[in-house]
Amino acid sequence: MYESKQNFLVQKWVTALSVVLFILKITAYYLTTSLAILSDALESIVNIVAGFIGLYSLYVAAKPRDDDHPYGHGKAEFISAAAEGSLIIAAGILIIYETISTILSKHAVQQLDHGMWLIGVTAVLNYLAGAYCIRIGRKNNSLALESSGKHLQIDTYSTLGILIAIVLMYLTKLYWIDKVIALALSGWIMYNGYSILRKSLAGIMDEADEEILKKFIQVLNVSKKPNWIDLHNLRVIKYGDLLHIDCHLTLPWFLNIHEAHHEIDELSNLIKTNFGDSIELFVHTDGCLDFSCAICTKDDCSVRVQPFKEQLNWNLNNIVSNQKHRIAKQG
C-alpha cells in the first residue's frame, strides 16, 4: 500500500511539472515562431493529458481489492499506459501535419537566443523528473509511473534535438533545418509511443514477462532447498505493483501437511526478500514419484528407490511447462 501512495504522489508532481514545462515551451514558440519548438509544445500538451490519465489510473490502482476485483485494481495502470502511448503517436502525427502544411512557405524564425535558453531549461527539468519516475516505477513495479518517466525522457531527447537545431539556425541562418528536425522528431515520437503501447497491451493480455521470469529462476537456482525436488508450471502476472505468482512445487511424498506448508513459507520468504512484499503466491504441492529420485539432491532420504544422477537447473523452457521434470532416457 505504501508503494501505491508513493506512486500517486510522484505522479502528482509529474503532472504539475508538465503544466509548467508547457508554459515555458509555448512561450519559447511565441518568441521564435519555430515549428520544431511548436512540435515540442504540442507534445507537452500530450504530457499534461497523459499525466492526468496516469494520476487517475494510479488512484484506481491504489484501491484495495474487493468482491468485484479480487486481484485488486492494478490493471488500471496498463490502460493508462495504453492511452499515453496512443496520445504520443497522435502527437507525432500532428507534428507531421503541421510541418507539411508549411513546407512550401517561407516561415520566419526569430529571437532564437531567447528560445534557446527556455528550451534548455525544459530539457534539464524533464530529464531529472523522468529519471526519478523510472527509478520509483521500477522499484514499485508501476508501469504507469515508469511510462511517465520514459515519456519525460523521450521529451528530453527530442528537446535536445530541437536545441541543436536552434543553435544551427542561429549560426548558419539556414531556417529549413527547423522543418527537417520537426519531421525527424515526429518519427522518433511515434516509435516510442508504439513501444509504450505495445508494453501496455502485453500487460493487459497477461503476456509472460521474460525479464521477471529470468530473475525469478535465477533466484530459485541459487537458493534451492533440498526438499524442493522440482518446480514447474510457473506463471507470473502483474497487477500494477502486485506480482501474482503461482507454480507447482514437488516435495518428498512423505512430508505431512505442516512440513509441506513450512517449505512453501520458505519459498514465499525467498521471493519476498528478492522481489518485495507486493507478492501474492499460490503454490500447488505435488508428491515426488519414482523418476524424481534421479534429480533429487536430498541426501538423507530413507525411501529413495533410484540413485541420484544429476541436479536439474531450472530455466525458462522447463520451469513454465506443466510437466514434472525427469531425466530423459539415453538411447
Side-chain angles (χ1 to χ4, degrees), residues 112-140:
L112 291 175
D113 52 344
H114 293 87
M116 202 183 305
W117 286 107
L118 285 173
I119 290 298
V121 169
T122 65
V124 173
L125 291 175
N126 257 337
Y127 185 82
L128 294 176
Y132 183 70
C133 281
I134 291 172
R135 183 170 68 85
I136 299 298
R138 287 175 177 169
K139 181 173 76 74
N140 296 341

Side-chain angles (χ1 to χ4, degrees), residues 282-326:
F282 286 88
V283 180
H284 172 83
T285 56
D286 293 326
C288 62
L289 299 174
D290 289 355
F291 60 77
S292 303
C293 293
I295 59 172
C296 177
T297 59
K298 188 174 175 63
D299 295 329
D300 57 348
C301 181
S302 60
V303 296
R304 181 183 292 276
V305 296
Q306 291 185 17
F308 169 75
K309 291 185 177 179
E310 64 180 79
Q311 183 172 343
L312 180 68
N313 280 327
W314 294 319
N315 57 54
L316 195 58
N317 292 323
N318 63 30
I319 205 168
V320 299
S321 170
N322 190 19
Q323 296 289 334
K324 290 181 180 178
H325 301 141
R326 65 173 77 195

Side-chain angles (χ1 to χ4, degrees), residues 78-315:
F78 294 121
I79 298 172
S80 163
E84 186 164 352
S86 300
L87 286 169
I88 292 172
I89 293 172
I93 294 171
L94 184 58
I95 292 167
I96 291 175
Y97 172 79
E98 288 291 334
T99 306
I100 292 177
S101 65
T102 60
I103 201 83
L104 298 176
S105 65
K106 292 184 178 180
H107 187 74
V109 183
Q110 56 196 12
Q111 298 190 62
L112 291 175
D113 52 344
H114 293 87
M116 202 183 305
W117 286 107
L118 285 173
I119 290 298
V121 169
T122 65
V124 173
L125 291 175
N126 257 337
Y127 185 82
L128 294 176
Y132 183 70
C133 281
I134 291 172
R135 183 170 68 85
I136 299 298
R138 287 175 177 169
K139 181 173 76 74
N140 296 341
N141 290 318
S142 172
L143 178 61
L145 199 58
E146 191 176 342
S147 295
S148 291
K150 287 181 178 178
H151 191 168
L152 287 171
Q153 289 201 330
I154 290 167
D155 198 22
T156 300
Y157 301 140
S158 61
T159 300
L160 287 175
I162 291 167
L163 190 59
I164 293 170
I166 292 173
V167 172
L168 288 174
M169 285 188 286
Y170 184 76
L171 295 175
T172 65
K173 310 303 181 186
L174 298 175
Y175 298 120
W176 55 265
I177 294 174
D178 187 42
K179 295 172 184 177
V180 173
I181 292 295
L183 287 173
L185 176 62
S186 65
W188 168 253
I189 288 171
M190 287 191 292
Y191 171 76
N192 284 283
Y194 165 77
S195 298
I196 292 174
L197 182 60
R198 170 69 182 83
K199 190 172 183 179
S200 64
L201 292 178
I204 292 171
M205 297 298 294
D206 292 329
E207 182 178 302
D209 190 323
E210 288 193 5
E211 185 178 339
I212 292 177
L213 285 171
K214 286 178 180 177
K215 183 180 178 183
F216 191 88
I217 292 166
Q218 182 182 15
V219 169
L220 288 174
N221 278 323
V222 170
S223 305
K224 181 180 179 182
K225 304 293 183 183
N227 281 334
W228 302 354
I229 299 171
D230 185 23
L231 191 144
H232 54 279
N233 201 23
L234 172 67
R235 291 173 292 186
V236 180
I237 303 173
K238 293 183 71 174
Y239 292 90
D241 61 350
L242 175 69
L243 284 179
H244 175 87
I245 302 171
D246 59 62
C247 61
H248 289 201
L249 179 65
T250 301
L251 298 171
W253 61 263
F254 51 82
L255 297 184
N256 62 40
I257 292 175
H258 292 293
E259 291 169 334
H261 197 276
H262 173 73
E263 296 298 330
I264 294 173
D265 286 341
E266 289 283 312
L267 178 60
S268 178
N269 291 335
L270 174 66
I271 294 171
K272 289 183 177 180
T273 298
N274 288 274
F275 290 88
D277 292 326
S278 295
I279 297 288
E280 189 173 56
L281 178 67
F282 286 88
V283 180
H284 172 83
T285 56
D286 293 326
C288 62
L289 299 174
D290 289 355
F291 60 77
S292 303
C293 293
I295 59 172
C296 177
T297 59
K298 188 174 175 63
D299 295 329
D300 57 348
C301 181
S302 60
V303 296
R304 181 183 292 276
V305 296
Q306 291 185 17
F308 169 75
K309 291 185 177 179
E310 64 180 79
Q311 183 172 343
L312 180 68
N313 280 327
W314 294 319
N315 57 54

